[in-house]
Amino acid sequence: MNNEQYELSQRQNRTREHLKQAFIQLIKEKGYHAVTVKDIVDQAAYNRSTFYLHFQDKIELADDLLHSMLQGLEDSVGKPYVHGQKVYTTKLNFPSFNLVTYIYEHRHFFELIKYEDTLPGLHTQLPSTITKIYNEQFIFKTINDIPVNMDYFKRYTSYGFYGLIIHWISNDFHTPQEEFIQDVIDLSKTHIYSFEYVGR
Amino acid sequence: MNNEQYELSQRQNRTREHLKQAFIQLIKEKGYHAVTVKDIVDQAAYNRSTFYLHFQDKIELADDLLHSMLQGLEDSVGKPYVHGQKVYTTKLNFPSFNLVTYIYEHRHFFELIKYEDTLPGLHTQLPSTITKIYNEQFIFKTINDIPVNMDYFKRYTSYGFYGLIIHWISNDFHTPQEEFIQDVIDLSKTHIYSFEYVGR
DNA sequence: CATTAAGTGTCTAAACGGTAGACACCCTGA
DNA sequence: TCAGGGTGTCTACCGTTTAGACACTTAATG
């Protein structure tokens, strides 16, 4: 009764997820271009036919993977931030919490940013997605309401955040998540007065 | 051609794994006794019939989960310890490295030790398994070869190690794995001269 | 006390996801 | 020039999972 035709079954979703995880692993091991469909199904322990039931080819898998993760990143912002028993709403707190949490939860994917021969588009679309999020979902106030070109300001701060993320990932998340978030907040306080989630 | 009858297929293994993970999650949320088979299949997104194809009941699932994890812990000791590019053999290094690594990799499971209404047997069988490992797989030398009752000594040190593990888990693995291992080594040096893996 | 609601364990037919294996095709390197 | 290996497609089949029913137990409720 629940099988809406536009919706993949859990089983199919799981299979796709397994294939994606295998793909991520293989990109890290041998580089994007060297990975074959055969490699992927071997790694994930599926039949090659099964791959083609889900994706046209390696490129479609790569696109799907990239876009689903970036979409997830965008969607993560509005959700309440959960830590331990406490639930923080983004209204009251620093909104990029959720971005940080999302990235850490999906670190197997985001670690791909460390590699040269990696997912096509990742190095360009990750930063631009962060900028998009800053533009669409946040309202900033500068310290003392100093007037600025807000487009520039958001671009500047979003790339700053991106830089911190890259650093964090490159150092294998050595700084614990909590601490990293605090660092981000401290840095932001040098030039941002407030930071509010406005929904979409 | 590959279906040895004594070996579960990858698909079945995955299904069992999904059910186990759902079970772990639910025990944390509502306690072992409150978890129903229905809860498990809902959480894991399977049909209730499917559960009974794999397990007789909740108790068998619990037993399977507990024993497979403790077995994995025992088996982990002999394997080479991998960190970054380097591979350390247990001969040359501190053998409980592998225990620590295994526990951390399966932290979703081992976190169950924090709960009261948790997997039956976990609170007793985890420490006794560690003692068993110490007894069967390690040779100790005391500092200056001070003679001791080695059974007592192993029991003492294994429970000491267990205590550290509990602490580490209870603090949500706040200490990074590397650092924790170093702490374990430092503590051990106060009374253990050497520590060698002897296989089984 | 009777009645509902919810879970249990078992069974069946049917649906569906995944498999094996073959096909023609395209590269690439020896 | 040819062999080896990957690609994309197809088909018949297999085995896991599903839906849904069954009789049964247990706990809560009016």
Side-chain angles (χ1 to χ4, degrees):
Chain A
M1 300 289 154
N2 53 352
N3 258 11
E4 320 292 326
Q5 76 286 353
Y6 53 84
E7 183 175 303
L8 291 172
S9 73
Q10 290 277 357
R11 284 172 77 185
Q12 289 189 92
N13 260 332
R14 281 200 183 108
T15 302
R16 294 168 76 91
E17 204 46 51
H18 291 311
L19 290 171
K20 285 181 185 177
Q21 291 307 315
F23 191 33
I24 292 171
Q25 185 57 38
L26 286 163
I27 293 173
K28 292 176 182 175
E29 285 173 14
K30 55 197 325 209
Y32 173 80
H33 289 94
V35 177
T36 69
V37 172
K38 192 171 178 305
D39 289 335
I40 297 168
V41 295
D42 286 352
Q43 170 87 16
Y46 283 96
N47 193 281
R48 205 160 58 84
S49 305
T50 305
F51 180 92
Y52 292 105
L53 292 176
H54 291 276
F55 305 101
Q56 285 218 343
D57 47 29
K58 184 176 90 169
I59 294 167
E60 191 184 290
L61 170 59
D63 285 352
D64 190 317
L65 177 58
L66 179 61
H67 293 138
S68 64
M69 294 307 293
L70 295 183
Q71 189 62 49
L73 195 64
E74 288 188 47
D75 296 342
S76 73
V77 180
K79 297 181 181 155
Y81 172 71
V82 179
H83 173 243
Q85 305 295 42
K86 296 177 190 163
V87 177
Y88 303 93
T89 65
T90 46
K91 286 271 175 201
L92 305 173
N93 290 270
F94 195 85
S96 32
F97 279 8
N98 281 340
L99 295 182
V100 173
T101 303
Y102 185 84
I103 289 167
Y104 189 72
E105 277 172 359
H106 300 88
R107 56 192 174 280
H108 289 305
F109 170 79
F110 286 100
E111 277 166 358
L112 289 174
I113 201 94
K114 289 195 292 187
Y115 300 81
E116 289 295 337
D117 182 11
T118 189
L119 262 196
L122 180 60
H123 284 125
T124 56
Q125 293 192 44
L126 177 54
S128 66
T129 298
I130 293 175
T131 301
K132 178 164 179 261
I133 290 169
Y134 272 50
N135 276 324
E136 294 180 357
Q137 303 200 52
F138 294 153
I139 286 180
F140 292 77
K141 280 201 169 66
T142 54
I143 291 182
N144 297 331
D145 262 323
I146 299 168
V148 291
N149 178 324
M150 192 47 75
D151 282 348
Y152 286 177
F153 190 73
K154 281 183 169 175
R155 172 156 272 265
Y156 175 78
T157 50
S158 64
Y159 267 76
F161 178 67
Y162 174 64
L164 298 177
I165 290 292
I166 294 292
H167 180 74
W168 193 40
I169 295 174
S170 299
N171 287 61
D172 295 322
F173 304 92
H174 176 261
T175 311
Q177 187 176 321
E178 299 295 307
E179 201 174 316
F180 178 71
I181 290 172
Q182 191 55 51
D183 290 347
V184 174
I185 293 178
D186 292 346
L187 267 166
S188 304
K189 278 184 179 163
T190 63
H191 58 294
I192 301 174
Y193 174 70
S194 78
F195 204 58
E196 188 182 349
Y197 171 63
V198 292
R200 295 199 280 181
Chain B
M1 301 290 153
N2 52 353
N3 256 12
E4 321 291 329
Q5 76 285 354
Y6 53 84
E7 182 174 303
L8 292 172
S9 74
Q10 290 276 357
R11 286 172 77 185
Q12 282 182 311
N13 260 331
R14 281 200 183 109
T15 300
R16 295 169 76 90
E17 204 45 50
H18 292 312
L19 291 171
K20 286 181 185 178
Q21 291 306 316
F23 192 32
I24 291 171
Q25 186 56 39
L26 286 163
I27 292 173
K28 292 176 182 175
E29 285 172 15
K30 55 195 328 208
Y32 172 80
H33 288 93
V35 177
T36 68
V37 172
K38 191 169 178 304
D39 288 335
I40 297 168
V41 296
D42 285 351
Q43 170 88 17
Y46 283 96
N47 192 282
R48 205 161 57 85
S49 306
T50 306
F51 180 92
Y52 292 105
L53 294 174
H54 291 277
F55 305 101
Q56 285 217 342
D57 47 29
K58 184 175 91 168
I59 294 167
E60 192 185 288
L61 170 59
D63 286 353
D64 190 317
L65 177 59
L66 179 60
H67 293 138
S68 63
M69 295 305 294
L70 295 183
Q71 189 62 50
L73 195 63
E74 289 189 45
D75 296 343
S76 73
V77 181
K79 296 181 182 157
Y81 171 70
V82 180
H83 173 242
Q85 306 295 42
K86 296 178 191 164
V87 177
Y88 303 92
T89 65
T90 45
K91 286 269 176 202
L92 304 173
N93 290 270
F94 196 84
S96 33
F97 279 7
N98 281 341
L99 296 183
V100 173
T101 303
Y102 185 84
I103 289 167
Y104 189 71
E105 277 173 359
H106 300 87
R107 57 191 173 281
H108 288 305
F109 170 80
F110 286 100
E111 277 166 358
L112 288 174
I113 201 95
K114 289 195 292 187
Y115 299 81
E116 289 296 334
D117 182 11
T118 189
L119 261 196
L122 179 61
H123 284 125
T124 55
Q125 293 192 43
L126 176 55
S128 66
T129 298
I130 293 175
T131 302
K132 179 164 179 261
I133 291 170
Y134 271 49
N135 276 324
E136 294 180 356
Q137 303 199 52
F138 294 152
I139 286 180
F140 291 76
K141 280 201 169 68
T142 54
I143 292 182
N144 299 331
D145 262 323
I146 299 168
V148 290
N149 178 324
M150 192 46 76
D151 281 348
Y152 286 178
F153 190 73
K154 282 183 169 175
R155 173 156 269 266
Y156 177 77
T157 51
S158 64
Y159 266 76
F161 177 68
Y162 175 62
L164 298 177
I165 290 292
I166 294 292
H167 180 73
W168 193 40
I169 294 173
S170 299
N171 287 62
D172 295 323
F173 305 93
H174 177 260
T175 312
Q177 187 176 322
E178 300 294 306
E179 203 174 315
F180 178 71
I181 290 173
Q182 191 56 51
D183 290 346
V184 174
I185 293 178
D186 291 345
L187 267 165
S188 304
K189 279 185 178 163
T190 63
H191 57 293
I192 301 173
Y193 174 70
S194 78
F195 203 59
E196 189 181 349
Y197 172 64
V198 294
R200 294 199 278 182

